[in-house]
Amino acid sequence: MTFDPSHAARSFSSVGTRPIRPDGVDKVTGRARYGADFNMPGQLIGRILRSPHAHAVIRKIDTSKAEQFPGVKAVVTAADLPDLTDGDTSMYDILDNCMARNKALYDGHAVAAVAAIDARTAKQALKLIDVEYELLPHVTDVDQAFAADAPLINETIFTTGVDPKPDRASNVSMRSQFGHGDVDAGMAEADFVVARTFKTEQTHQGYIEPHACVANVSSDGTADLWVCTQGHFVYRQHCAQLLGLEASRLRVTSSEIGGGFGGKTHVWAEPVALALSRKAGRPVKLVMTRDEVFRATGPTSATSIDVKIGAMKDGTIIAADATLRYSCGPYAGSWAEVGAMTAFACYKLENVRTVGYEVLVNRPKTAAYRAPSAPMAAFAVESAIDELAKKVGMDAVDFRIKNAAQEGTKASYGPVYGPIGIGPTLEAVKNHPHMKASLGKNQGRGMACGFWFNFGGQTCTDLNIGMDGTVSLAVGTVDVGGSRASLSLVAAEELGIDYAQVRAVIADTSSLGYNDMTDGSRGTFSSSMATISAARNAIKILRARAAQMWDIPVEDVTWEKGHAVAKGETHGNLPNLSLKEIAAASGTTGGPIAGHSEIVADGAGVSFATHICDIEVDPETGATKVLRYTVVQDAGKAVHPTYVEGQYQGGAAQGIGWALNEEYIYGKDGRLQNAGFLDYRIPVCSDLPMIDTQILEIPNPNHPYGVRGVGETSIVPPLAAVANAVSNAVGVRMQHIPMSPPRILAALEA
Amino acid sequence: MVEVTLWGALAAAAEGNSKVEVEAKNIRELFKKLSERFPGLTPLMDRGIAVAIDGTIYRDTWSKELPAGAEIYLLPRLAGG
């Protein structure tokens, strides 16, 4: 389905309105069921024993005392999760991450698990498991791990992406390179050059709801899993493969979700819960503690990035170069690759080169986090761009406008752009009242741009019309940000009925065809395409039923504003039939009326944003207060503008926390020092101003309404926007995120 | 015949070729012929590759036709958050 240009000027009836969310009452009254709210009769409580060591060989695990402890019904180790991955290295890494096999690779790595009659018994039993470790040298810093003499984490890792293949193993799992032109020649021509190295520390997605599930494996070989996830179909596939189950015999039901941001796109404890249930023969509930969430799930990469950009006197960027080192935890990843692709994506560049290196460290396996890898690259590049604009003597916004990518520009990662919104977001920022507001003492203003790809993917949707004319929409993309409301609006728009007549639900894995997970800003993009398709299929049936009722050819029936309309001179006197009237007669015109759709929603449009940030730094304490913040972003078409604004604000809030306070702190022993929200400080309401938003709508030509994904791009610019603001306030270029008070004081005193 | 551009890591696995010409009518045939010609690409293809056709990225629509003269760019298959 391609974009119908007439929609650009079309007046939508439902799309673009702001009805209240269908899940709102349940959430504010506490009725909504999150992962930990599900219980089963006879369920056991599962708990996981985790390595206290950053890197150690597991010599022996003795579970005999725990197994004999009263109330314990099952104990599992890696022996209960045999390797069924058949040479699939990425699945093997998932398996090993869920339960360590030969080595503990980070502080918090699971080594055994217990199911008992209650949490206290399970906790006591964990203490009875005797694990014999042989400690190995560890490395947790990305630059130290990159060094040739670093402790080796995985002796089977040989750097890919280089020719010839290295003759010895290292902690660098992959090298990626992107770009075009002659960077060295361009740099030699430049009148001005900025070259700096930037660092960002590891952060967690910081979702409020911890990972939780209830697993029930029956003796007949069927199984159920109730779980908090961003993708229950993907969880089914992974769990089925790791447990040796047939996918169709494992039904996975997703709960409401208290935040995911990419961290709930990976299985962690779910295969362990299923293994415990299989062994105990009873349901097992497993809820992670906050300490476990920090130590064993999430985090994003820590990075170290070299950037060099050259410009001519007229402000044209002549060459851009970046080398990006991203930590990926103790398993091979592809995080630097994404950073290398996104780093210069906002700009029109004749000569550009980015090289990314994946670096293994003894930290938890890196997971996706909202536009994964892009914020760190943007921090480095947008900081250098700001500095270069000053050197050239141009305003930061004008410099970016002069060099912004546009339709027809060859992107730094390769392809040529179609219609894109970076230029319009910059023009909107240039003219925004925020940019003209005055600043006081110790205050600074910064701005920055950001890019994200957005994805579509496999999607399946059912639209069922009840005999009373109401519509039930079953979708398979988990609602993490309000997609049930947005998809109900889309169904109402297509059918020509009121939003209140549509109820969207998230179907379980046994009720609908496969759906990719809700990631890549794809939930509303892809499921709205499937919903439009399903609604149009349902309309075909509605027209056929009306034709039956009128006894006229279906070709003479059209669908207009929720009604079947008879066309032609001979039928013109027939009164229109409403959807409700056709549905009421469905029992005698052929039975239930439904529309179904299964699609691959490729063609997601890329997305750009530009942010403005005002801050004030206390020169005595180094503390930074965000005074004002504005997000301008292209949404393609905002289906439910309130939710779009919420995505913009949420991404900005998370980015501000990343910029100013959030970081994993490891001790010399390789253990995480701040595994809790008291010591790992995410922003709270009192830390933030009201975040202003401006939605731009540059239609995506590959979506029937022009929709683009909006969920991720908003976290890309904040690190750089805040850093530019702080740098402008203190007069020192900030190169290390987070800009916590000690780092700002150190910069001031340097 | 279409000209296909490979990103860095892929080019290293394709005997250093960053651009290759392939006789293929759609993405499925393109992958098949590239894999036959450069066996070193197979592990990277198994990991996942996306195809940008005139700027639009396709990850799963392997039946998508490759128009003559189109700009075709192979990219890593990326995940989001």
mmCIF file of all heavy atoms in Angstrom, chain A residues 23-49:
data_model
loop_
_atom_site.group_PDB
_atom_site.id
_atom_site.type_symbol
_atom_site.label_atom_id
_atom_site.label_comp_id
_atom_site.label_asym_id
_atom_site.label_seq_id
_atom_site.Cartn_x
_atom_site.Cartn_y
_atom_site.Cartn_z
ATOM 1 N N ASP A 23 -7.391 2.084 27.540
ATOM 2 C CA ASP A 23 -6.837 1.385 28.698
ATOM 3 C C ASP A 23 -6.657 2.329 29.886
ATOM 4 O O ASP A 23 -6.120 1.934 30.920
ATOM 5 C CB ASP A 23 -5.478 0.763 28.334
ATOM 6 C CG ASP A 23 -4.534 1.773 27.679
ATOM 7 O OD1 ASP A 23 -5.024 2.679 26.987
ATOM 8 O OD2 ASP A 23 -3.317 1.663 27.874
ATOM 9 N N GLY A 24 -7.130 3.560 29.746
ATOM 10 C CA GLY A 24 -6.878 4.563 30.772
ATOM 11 C C GLY A 24 -7.544 4.264 32.102
ATOM 12 O O GLY A 24 -6.909 4.345 33.160
ATOM 13 N N VAL A 25 -8.836 3.903 32.069
ATOM 14 C CA VAL A 25 -9.564 3.662 33.329
ATOM 15 C C VAL A 25 -8.906 2.524 34.114
ATOM 16 O O VAL A 25 -8.677 2.635 35.329
ATOM 17 C CB VAL A 25 -11.052 3.354 33.044
ATOM 18 C CG1 VAL A 25 -11.753 2.902 34.322
ATOM 19 C CG2 VAL A 25 -11.742 4.583 32.482
ATOM 20 N N ASP A 26 -8.593 1.446 33.417
ATOM 21 C CA ASP A 26 -7.952 0.307 34.104
ATOM 22 C C ASP A 26 -6.635 0.714 34.736
ATOM 23 O O ASP A 26 -6.297 0.277 35.844
ATOM 24 C CB ASP A 26 -7.706 -0.836 33.114
ATOM 25 C CG ASP A 26 -8.950 -1.671 32.882
ATOM 26 O OD1 ASP A 26 -9.971 -1.397 33.540
ATOM 27 O OD2 ASP A 26 -8.902 -2.575 32.032
ATOM 28 N N LYS A 27 -5.897 1.558 34.065
ATOM 29 C CA LYS A 27 -4.567 1.911 34.578
ATOM 30 C C LYS A 27 -4.644 2.866 35.772
ATOM 31 O O LYS A 27 -3.858 2.731 36.711
ATOM 32 C CB LYS A 27 -3.701 2.486 33.451
ATOM 33 C CG LYS A 27 -3.216 1.378 32.515
ATOM 34 C CD LYS A 27 -2.329 1.846 31.399
ATOM 35 C CE LYS A 27 -1.784 0.635 30.643
ATOM 36 N NZ LYS A 27 -1.118 0.986 29.384
ATOM 37 N N VAL A 28 -5.581 3.793 35.751
ATOM 38 C CA VAL A 28 -5.643 4.725 36.881
ATOM 39 C C VAL A 28 -6.393 4.136 38.075
ATOM 40 O O VAL A 28 -6.274 4.643 39.191
ATOM 41 C CB VAL A 28 -6.257 6.084 36.492
ATOM 42 C CG1 VAL A 28 -5.420 6.763 35.432
ATOM 43 C CG2 VAL A 28 -7.701 5.935 36.048
ATOM 44 N N THR A 29 -7.153 3.071 37.842
ATOM 45 C CA THR A 29 -7.853 2.449 38.970
ATOM 46 C C THR A 29 -7.116 1.219 39.499
ATOM 47 O O THR A 29 -7.553 0.607 40.465
ATOM 48 C CB THR A 29 -9.275 2.008 38.559
ATOM 49 O OG1 THR A 29 -9.179 1.120 37.438
ATOM 50 C CG2 THR A 29 -10.140 3.206 38.206
ATOM 51 N N GLY A 30 -6.010 0.857 38.860
ATOM 52 C CA GLY A 30 -5.242 -0.289 39.348
ATOM 53 C C GLY A 30 -5.760 -1.625 38.873
ATOM 54 O O GLY A 30 -5.291 -2.677 39.317
ATOM 55 N N ARG A 31 -6.733 -1.625 37.953
ATOM 56 C CA ARG A 31 -7.279 -2.902 37.462
ATOM 57 C C ARG A 31 -6.427 -3.521 36.370
ATOM 58 O O ARG A 31 -6.533 -4.711 36.096
ATOM 59 C CB ARG A 31 -8.697 -2.693 36.929
ATOM 60 C CG ARG A 31 -9.778 -2.641 37.988
ATOM 61 C CD ARG A 31 -11.126 -3.058 37.387
ATOM 62 N NE ARG A 31 -11.459 -2.258 36.220
ATOM 63 C CZ ARG A 31 -12.263 -1.194 36.244
ATOM 64 N NH1 ARG A 31 -12.815 -0.829 37.373
ATOM 65 N NH2 ARG A 31 -12.510 -0.512 35.160
ATOM 66 N N ALA A 32 -5.614 -2.685 35.708
ATOM 67 C CA ALA A 32 -4.791 -3.211 34.611
ATOM 68 C C ALA A 32 -3.851 -4.281 35.151
ATOM 69 O O ALA A 32 -3.289 -4.142 36.227
ATOM 70 C CB ALA A 32 -3.990 -2.075 33.975
ATOM 71 N N ARG A 33 -3.696 -5.342 34.386
ATOM 72 C CA ARG A 33 -2.887 -6.477 34.853
ATOM 73 C C ARG A 33 -1.513 -6.454 34.189
ATOM 74 O O ARG A 33 -1.378 -6.692 32.994
ATOM 75 C CB ARG A 33 -3.607 -7.796 34.553
ATOM 76 C CG ARG A 33 -4.934 -7.896 35.283
ATOM 77 C CD ARG A 33 -5.666 -9.140 34.882
ATOM 78 N NE ARG A 33 -5.267 -10.267 35.714
ATOM 79 C CZ ARG A 33 -5.580 -11.521 35.429
ATOM 80 N NH1 ARG A 33 -6.216 -11.804 34.328
ATOM 81 N NH2 ARG A 33 -5.215 -12.491 36.236
ATOM 82 N N TYR A 34 -0.536 -6.164 35.014
ATOM 83 C CA TYR A 34 0.858 -6.170 34.550
ATOM 84 C C TYR A 34 1.436 -7.565 34.777
ATOM 85 O O TYR A 34 0.750 -8.465 35.270
ATOM 86 C CB TYR A 34 1.649 -5.084 35.278
ATOM 87 C CG TYR A 34 1.218 -3.694 34.869
ATOM 88 C CD1 TYR A 34 0.164 -3.046 35.505
ATOM 89 C CD2 TYR A 34 1.841 -3.048 33.807
ATOM 90 C CE1 TYR A 34 -0.251 -1.781 35.098
ATOM 91 C CE2 TYR A 34 1.438 -1.790 33.395
ATOM 92 C CZ TYR A 34 0.383 -1.166 34.049
ATOM 93 O OH TYR A 34 -0.026 0.081 33.633
ATOM 94 N N GLY A 35 2.702 -7.726 34.447
ATOM 95 C CA GLY A 35 3.310 -9.049 34.491
ATOM 96 C C GLY A 35 3.183 -9.728 35.833
ATOM 97 O O GLY A 35 2.869 -10.927 35.926
ATOM 98 N N ALA A 36 3.413 -8.991 36.908
ATOM 99 C CA ALA A 36 3.399 -9.598 38.238
ATOM 100 C C ALA A 36 1.989 -9.761 38.797
ATOM 101 O O ALA A 36 1.813 -10.306 39.899
ATOM 102 C CB ALA A 36 4.236 -8.751 39.195
ATOM 103 N N ASP A 37 0.971 -9.276 38.077
ATOM 104 C CA ASP A 37 -0.407 -9.357 38.587
ATOM 105 C C ASP A 37 -1.083 -10.671 38.236
ATOM 106 O O ASP A 37 -2.201 -10.925 38.670
ATOM 107 C CB ASP A 37 -1.247 -8.201 38.025
ATOM 108 C CG ASP A 37 -0.767 -6.868 38.555
ATOM 109 O OD1 ASP A 37 -0.322 -6.833 39.721
ATOM 110 O OD2 ASP A 37 -0.824 -5.877 37.812
ATOM 111 N N PHE A 38 -0.430 -11.495 37.425
ATOM 112 C CA PHE A 38 -1.052 -12.757 37.032
ATOM 113 C C PHE A 38 -0.660 -13.864 38.007
ATOM 114 O O PHE A 38 0.497 -13.973 38.417
ATOM 115 C CB PHE A 38 -0.635 -13.156 35.616
ATOM 116 C CG PHE A 38 -1.474 -14.242 35.046
ATOM 117 C CD1 PHE A 38 -2.672 -13.953 34.414
ATOM 118 C CD2 PHE A 38 -1.104 -15.571 35.187
ATOM 119 C CE1 PHE A 38 -3.480 -14.971 33.919
ATOM 120 C CE2 PHE A 38 -1.911 -16.587 34.694
ATOM 121 C CZ PHE A 38 -3.097 -16.285 34.059
ATOM 122 N N ASN A 39 -1.627 -14.672 38.400
ATOM 123 C CA ASN A 39 -1.366 -15.789 39.325
ATOM 124 C C ASN A 39 -2.149 -17.017 38.874
ATOM 125 O O ASN A 39 -3.191 -16.889 38.228
ATOM 126 C CB ASN A 39 -1.786 -15.423 40.756
ATOM 127 C CG ASN A 39 -0.933 -14.308 41.320
ATOM 128 O OD1 ASN A 39 0.246 -14.487 41.598
ATOM 129 N ND2 ASN A 39 -1.514 -13.122 41.452
ATOM 130 N N MET A 40 -1.644 -18.189 39.233
ATOM 131 C CA MET A 40 -2.343 -19.437 38.915
ATOM 132 C C MET A 40 -2.480 -20.280 40.167
ATOM 133 O O MET A 40 -1.603 -20.233 41.051
ATOM 134 C CB MET A 40 -1.560 -20.246 37.883
ATOM 135 C CG MET A 40 -1.722 -19.748 36.468
ATOM 136 S SD MET A 40 -1.127 -20.982 35.327
ATOM 137 C CE MET A 40 -2.437 -22.206 35.407
ATOM 138 N N PRO A 41 -3.540 -21.070 40.243
ATOM 139 C CA PRO A 41 -3.667 -21.983 41.389
ATOM 140 C C PRO A 41 -2.467 -22.931 41.443
ATOM 141 O O PRO A 41 -2.052 -23.459 40.422
ATOM 142 C CB PRO A 41 -4.949 -22.765 41.090
ATOM 143 C CG PRO A 41 -5.682 -21.970 40.073
ATOM 144 C CD PRO A 41 -4.660 -21.214 39.290
ATOM 145 N N GLY A 42 -1.909 -23.098 42.626
ATOM 146 C CA GLY A 42 -0.813 -24.044 42.805
ATOM 147 C C GLY A 42 0.524 -23.568 42.298
ATOM 148 O O GLY A 42 1.469 -24.358 42.202
ATOM 149 N N GLN A 43 0.619 -22.274 42.012
ATOM 150 C CA GLN A 43 1.878 -21.799 41.424
ATOM 151 C C GLN A 43 3.008 -21.797 42.451
ATOM 152 O O GLN A 43 2.806 -21.600 43.645
ATOM 153 C CB GLN A 43 1.704 -20.398 40.837
ATOM 154 C CG GLN A 43 1.647 -19.289 41.866
ATOM 155 C CD GLN A 43 1.417 -17.927 41.238
ATOM 156 O OE1 GLN A 43 1.032 -17.808 40.079
ATOM 157 N NE2 GLN A 43 1.644 -16.872 42.006
ATOM 158 N N LEU A 44 4.195 -22.016 41.939
ATOM 159 C CA LEU A 44 5.411 -21.917 42.746
ATOM 160 C C LEU A 44 6.075 -20.564 42.458
ATOM 161 O O LEU A 44 5.738 -19.900 41.481
ATOM 162 C CB LEU A 44 6.372 -23.052 42.381
ATOM 163 C CG LEU A 44 5.811 -24.472 42.513
ATOM 164 C CD1 LEU A 44 6.776 -25.474 41.894
ATOM 165 C CD2 LEU A 44 5.528 -24.807 43.979
ATOM 166 N N ILE A 45 7.029 -20.222 43.307
ATOM 167 C CA ILE A 45 7.783 -18.985 43.112
ATOM 168 C C ILE A 45 9.211 -19.335 42.705
ATOM 169 O O ILE A 45 9.881 -20.129 43.376
ATOM 170 C CB ILE A 45 7.807 -18.135 44.400
ATOM 171 C CG1 ILE A 45 6.372 -17.797 44.833
ATOM 172 C CG2 ILE A 45 8.634 -16.867 44.191
ATOM 173 C CD1 ILE A 45 5.576 -16.974 43.832
ATOM 174 N N GLY A 46 9.629 -18.756 41.605
ATOM 175 C CA GLY A 46 10.983 -18.996 41.115
ATOM 176 C C GLY A 46 11.937 -17.887 41.515
ATOM 177 O O GLY A 46 11.550 -16.723 41.576
ATOM 178 N N ARG A 47 13.162 -18.245 41.805
ATOM 179 C CA ARG A 47 14.223 -17.261 42.084
ATOM 180 C C ARG A 47 15.508 -17.739 41.396
ATOM 181 O O ARG A 47 15.728 -18.949 41.259
ATOM 182 C CB ARG A 47 14.484 -17.105 43.586
ATOM 183 C CG ARG A 47 13.323 -16.500 44.374
ATOM 184 C CD ARG A 47 13.016 -15.068 43.950
ATOM 185 N NE ARG A 47 14.119 -14.164 44.211
ATOM 186 C CZ ARG A 47 14.196 -13.379 45.288
ATOM 187 N NH1 ARG A 47 13.255 -13.416 46.210
ATOM 188 N NH2 ARG A 47 15.223 -12.562 45.438
ATOM 189 N N ILE A 48 16.345 -16.802 41.032
ATOM 190 C CA ILE A 48 17.553 -17.127 40.268
ATOM 191 C C ILE A 48 18.806 -16.789 41.076
ATOM 192 O O ILE A 48 18.887 -15.718 41.686
ATOM 193 C CB ILE A 48 17.563 -16.368 38.928
ATOM 194 C CG1 ILE A 48 16.404 -16.865 38.050
ATOM 195 C CG2 ILE A 48 18.893 -16.541 38.198
ATOM 196 C CD1 ILE A 48 16.260 -16.149 36.718
ATOM 197 N N LEU A 49 19.753 -17.725 41.077
ATOM 198 C CA LEU A 49 21.064 -17.491 41.695
ATOM 199 C C LEU A 49 21.972 -16.873 40.639
ATOM 200 O O LEU A 49 22.062 -17.384 39.514
ATOM 201 C CB LEU A 49 21.660 -18.805 42.193
ATOM 202 C CG LEU A 49 23.013 -18.695 42.900
ATOM 203 C CD1 LEU A 49 22.881 -17.959 44.234
ATOM 204 C CD2 LEU A 49 23.636 -20.072 43.110
#
